[in-house]
C-alpha cells in the first residue's frame, strides 16, 4: 500500500465526461488499496475565461480580487470531482487550498508557498476517504486567498506530496509524459522515459509548460519522485528523479534531451547607457525593485557612439509595461538615451545533461538555424542549455529543424489527447 498524490490538469477535467473518467481512475487507485490525495485544476480553459472576463470589466483589476475570482475555478472542479468519486462508491471530500492547509506569502497572483499544514488531509486519509484539494490556491497571513501563478496546481501537488511524504506524485495531463519537444509543435517529438530534475528544470524554465517550474524546484528540494502521465491512457509516463539515480541513464542518453520554445517573453533595449561602472547595476536594481524577472541579457558597446552602450534583456510580456515605466522614471539618474521594446520574441532552447561532456552542440545549433536563414538575436547558456532569441514567427519551424538535426525525431507521431494548448 502506498500514499499516492494524483494531480489532474484542466484538460483532464474539461467537461462532465472528463470528470467522470478521472473519478474512475481515482476510485481504481483507491480500490487497489492505496491512500489517495488528489489535486485538481480548473476545468478546461476556465482560468483563461475568468481572466478575459475580468479584463472586460476593467483594465486594472485589483490583484486581491483577481485571486478571489481565479480560485473559484478550482472550487468548481474539486466539488464536482468529489461528487463523481462518491458516486462510484468511494468516499471523497473536497477542500479549498485554505481548508487543506496551504499557506502562502501575500504576493497575489504569484504567491510562494510558505508551508503546508495538512492536518485535515491526514484525517481524511485516516478515515479511509479520498481527499480532493483545489490546486493553485492557498491563504496568506491576512486570511485572504492567493494563487500560485499560471500552471500552479503542479506545485500544489508536489507540495502536498512532500508534506505527506507520499511515495509518488503523479501528474496527469493530456500527453503521455514529458517529450523531447512540445508535441503540439513538433509531431515527431519522442517521449522521455526518465529525466533528471536538473534537465526538467531547464525545460520548464524555458517554455515547456508540461510542468510548473516551481513544482520541479520543490520536487528537487524535497526529493519527491514525479511521474508525468496521461489521464486518457494507461501508458507508463515519464519519471523525474534525482540526478544521481539517472546518471547512468544520462551517460547513455542522447546529448540533447529536449528542445523547448517560449513565446511569452518580451525584449527591452536600453540604449545610450553611459559605459561606466555602475550603469548596468542601476538598470537591474530598477528592474528588480518592481520584481522584474530577467532571463537573458546582452550588452553591446556602440562604435558610432563611443562611451555609450546598449543593454538588452528579456522579461515576461506581462511585466513589460511595469518594467519600462520604472526605467523611464529613472531615466536621468541612470543616464540612458532611449528605450526600444519588442513586445513578443521567440526563444528556442536545447537542453541536455550530455552537453557537459560533448562539444559541438552550439555549432550544430547555429548551423541549423543558419540553414533556415534565421538571424539569432541574443544567446544565453547554462552548463546544460543553450537558448537563442529568434523572430517569434519562425519559432515552430526552427524547433522542428533543430529537433531533427539533433537526431531526436521518433518514428511515430506523438499523441495529444485533449486540451487546446492555450
Ligand atoms: P494541464 O492542463 O494538464 O496542466 P498543460 O497544458 O499545462 O496541461 O501542459 C500540458 C501541455 O504541455 C501539453 O499538451 C503540451 O502541449 C505542452 N508541452 C510543452 N512542452 C512539452 C514537452 N516537452 N513535453 C510534453 N508536453 C509539453
Ligand atoms: N487553473 C490554473 C491555470 O490555468 C492552475 C493550473 O491549471 O495549474 O493556470
Ligand atoms: Mg499545467
Amino acid at each position: 500500500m502506498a500514499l499516492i498524490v494524483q494531480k489532474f490538469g484542466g484538460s483532464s477535467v474539461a467537461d462532465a465526461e472528463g470528470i467522470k473518467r478521472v473519478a474512475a481512475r481515482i476510485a481504481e487507485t483507491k480500490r487497489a488499496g492505496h491512500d489517495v490525495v488528489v489535486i485538481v485544476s480548473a476545468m478546461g480553459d476556465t482560468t483563461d475565461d475568468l481572466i478575459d472576463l475580468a479584463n472586460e470589466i476593467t483594465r486594472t483589476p485589483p490583484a486581491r480580487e483577481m485571486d478571489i475570482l481565479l480560485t473559484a475555478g478550482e472550487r468548481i472542479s474539486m466539488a464536482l470531482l468529489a461528487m463523481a468519486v462518491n458516486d462510484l462508491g468511494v468516499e471523497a471530500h473536497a477542500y479549498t487550498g485554505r481548508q487543506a492547509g496551504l499557506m502562502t506569502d501575500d504576493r497575489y497572483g504569484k504567491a510562494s508557498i510558505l508551508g503546508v499544514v495538512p492536518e485535515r488531509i491526514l484525517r481524511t486519509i485516516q478515515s479511509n476517504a479520498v481527499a480532493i484539494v483545489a490546486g493553485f490556491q492557498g491563504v496568506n497571513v491576512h486570511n485572504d486567498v492567493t494563487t500560485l501563478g499560471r500552471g500552479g496546481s503542479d506545485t500544489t501537488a508536489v507540495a502536498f506530496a512532500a508534506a505527506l511524504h507520499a511515495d509518488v506524485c503523479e501528474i496527469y495531463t493530456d500527453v503521455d509524459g514529458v517529450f523531447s519537444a512540445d508535441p503540439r509543435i513538433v509531431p515527431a517529438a519522442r517521449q522521455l522515459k526518465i529525466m533528471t530534475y536538473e534537465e526538467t528544470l531547464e525545460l520548464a524554465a524555458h517554455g515547456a509548460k508540461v510542468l510548473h517550474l516551481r513544482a520541479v524546484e520543490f520536487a528537487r528540494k524535497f526529493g519527491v519522485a514525479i511521474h508525468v502521465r496521461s489521464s486518457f491512457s494507461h501508458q507508463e509516463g515519464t519519471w523525474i528523479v534525482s540526478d544521481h539515480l539517472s546518471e547512468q541513464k544520462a551517460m547513455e542518453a542522447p546529448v540533447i534531451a529536449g528542445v523547448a520554445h517560449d513565446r511569452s517573453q518580451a525584449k527591452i533595449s536600453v540604449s545610450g547607457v553611459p559605459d561606466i561602472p555602475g550603469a548596468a547595476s542601476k538598470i537591474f536594481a530598477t528592474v528588480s525593485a518592481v520584481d522584474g524577472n530577467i532571463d537573458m541579457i546582452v550588452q553591446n558597446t556602440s562604435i558610432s557612439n563611443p562611451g555609450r552602450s546598449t543593454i538588452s534583456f528579456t522579461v515576461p510580456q506581462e511585466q513589460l509595461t511595469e518594467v519600462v515605466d520604472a526605467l523611464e522614471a529613472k531615466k536621468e539618474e541612470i543616464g540612458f538615451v532611449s528605450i526600444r521594446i519588442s513586445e513578443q520574441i521567440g526563444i528556442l532552447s536545447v537542453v541536455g545533461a550530455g552537453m557537459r561532456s560533448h562539444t559541438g552542440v552550439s555549432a550544430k545549433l547555429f548551423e541549423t538555424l543558419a540553414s533556415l536563414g534565421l538571424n539569432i538575436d541574443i544567446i544565453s547558456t547554462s552548463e546544460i542549455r543553450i537558448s537563442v532569441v529568434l523572430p517569434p514567427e519562425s519559432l515552430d519551424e526552427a524547433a522542428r529543424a533543430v529537433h531533427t538535426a539533433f537526431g531526436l525525431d521518433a518514428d511515430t507521431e506523438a499523441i495529444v489527447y485533449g486540451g487546446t494548448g492555450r
Side-chain angles (χ1 to χ4, degrees), residues 94-110:
Y95 301 100
T96 62
R98 172 203 201 148
Q99 288 175 312
L102 195 136
M103 326 299 290
T104 74
D105 63 15
D106 55 8
R107 297 188 313 149
Y108 297 108
K110 50 183 173 187

Side-chain angles (χ1 to χ4, degrees), residues 22-353:
V22 163
R25 188 115 194 188
I26 296 167
E28 186 186 303
T29 314
K30 183 69 189 144
R31 290 208 168 102
H34 303 301
D35 285 331
V36 187
V37 174
V38 173
I39 313 297
V40 66
S41 291
M43 294 170 69
D45 290 330
T46 300
T47 308
D48 291 294
D49 297 341
L50 291 173
I51 292 172
D52 291 348
L53 200 55
N55 289 332
E56 275 179 43
I57 304 283
T58 166
R59 285 192 52 207
T60 51
R64 176 181 175 276
E65 276 55 44
M66 194 67 173
D67 271 7
I68 295 178
L69 177 69
L70 296 189
T71 52
E74 269 73 9
R75 263 186 183 247
I76 295 171
S77 54
M78 71 168 195
L80 293 173
L81 186 55
M83 290 177 195
V85 175
N86 277 296
D87 207 45
L88 297 173
V90 171
E91 193 180 334
H93 302 290
Y95 301 100
T96 62
R98 172 203 201 148
Q99 288 175 312
L102 195 136
M103 326 299 290
T104 74
D105 63 15
D106 55 8
R107 297 188 313 149
Y108 297 108
K110 50 183 173 187
S112 291
I113 297 175
L114 296 178
V116 179
V117 188
E119 272 168 36
R120 193 91 190 260
I121 303 305
L122 281 169
R123 269 188 276 141
T124 306
I125 302 173
Q126 276 153 13
S127 71
N128 205 26
V130 172
I132 301 194
V133 180
F136 166 66
Q137 55 180 270
V139 62
N140 64 21
V141 285
H142 314 297
N143 224 357
D144 284 331
V145 292
T146 52
T147 65
L148 308 179
R150 300 307 308 273
S153 296
D154 296 337
T155 302
T156 307
V158 176
F160 276 95
L164 297 165
H165 304 289
D167 295 277
V168 57
C169 180
E170 297 184 330
I171 305 280
Y172 286 90
T173 184
D174 54 11
V175 288
D176 278 316
V178 181
F179 281 70
S180 53
D182 185 344
R184 284 179 208 271
I185 307 293
V186 182
R190 69 170 64 225
Q191 192 199 323
L192 305 167
K193 294 293 169 202
I194 187 166
M195 290 189 77
T196 64
Y197 290 128
E198 194 187 22
E199 285 174 327
T200 317
L201 274 176
E202 290 278 12
L203 284 178
H206 293 90
K209 72 164 184 166
V210 63
L211 277 176
H212 196 228
L213 176 60
R214 268 187 289 138
V216 190
E217 286 171 350
F218 234 92
R220 182 183 207 178
K221 189 164 168 197
F222 297 102
V224 176
I226 298 183
H227 185 189
V228 181
R229 56 195 310 196
S230 168
S231 72
F232 298 80
S233 83
H234 273 78
Q235 281 216 46
E236 182 80 0
T238 303
W239 283 90
I240 297 161
V241 293
S242 76
D243 302 342
H244 73 272
L245 280 181
S246 53
E247 221 163 63
Q248 181 66 26
K249 196 80 199 163
M251 280 167 71
E252 294 161 10
V255 182
I256 299 302
V259 177
H261 72 280
D262 188 357
R263 245 181 271 277
S264 68
Q265 302 284 310
K267 189 179 86 170
I268 299 176
S269 295
V270 188
S271 40
V273 181
D275 204 2
I276 50 168
S281 113
K282 277 187 197 153
I283 290 180
F284 295 118
T286 308
V287 177
S288 107
V290 290
D291 258 350
N293 222 334
I294 295 176
D295 183 20
M296 305 166 95
I297 302 174
V298 68
Q299 174 168 14
N300 303 309
T301 340
S302 163
I303 304 172
S304 58
N305 195 356
R308 299 271 169 175
S309 68
T310 299
I311 295 181
S312 304
F313 54 90
T314 62
V315 289
Q317 276 148 22
E318 66 272 12
Q319 294 179 346
L320 183 62
T321 314
E322 202 181 350
V323 171
V324 169
D325 289 351
L327 286 168
E328 289 288 5
K330 294 249 164 112
K331 189 172 179 176
E332 305 234 308
E333 189 187 321
I334 301 169
F336 67 87
V337 175
S338 63
I339 289 182
R340 250 180 321 119
I341 55 166
S342 304
E343 282 182 23
Q344 193 185 38
I345 54 170
I347 302 181
L348 185 80
S349 304
V350 292
V351 171

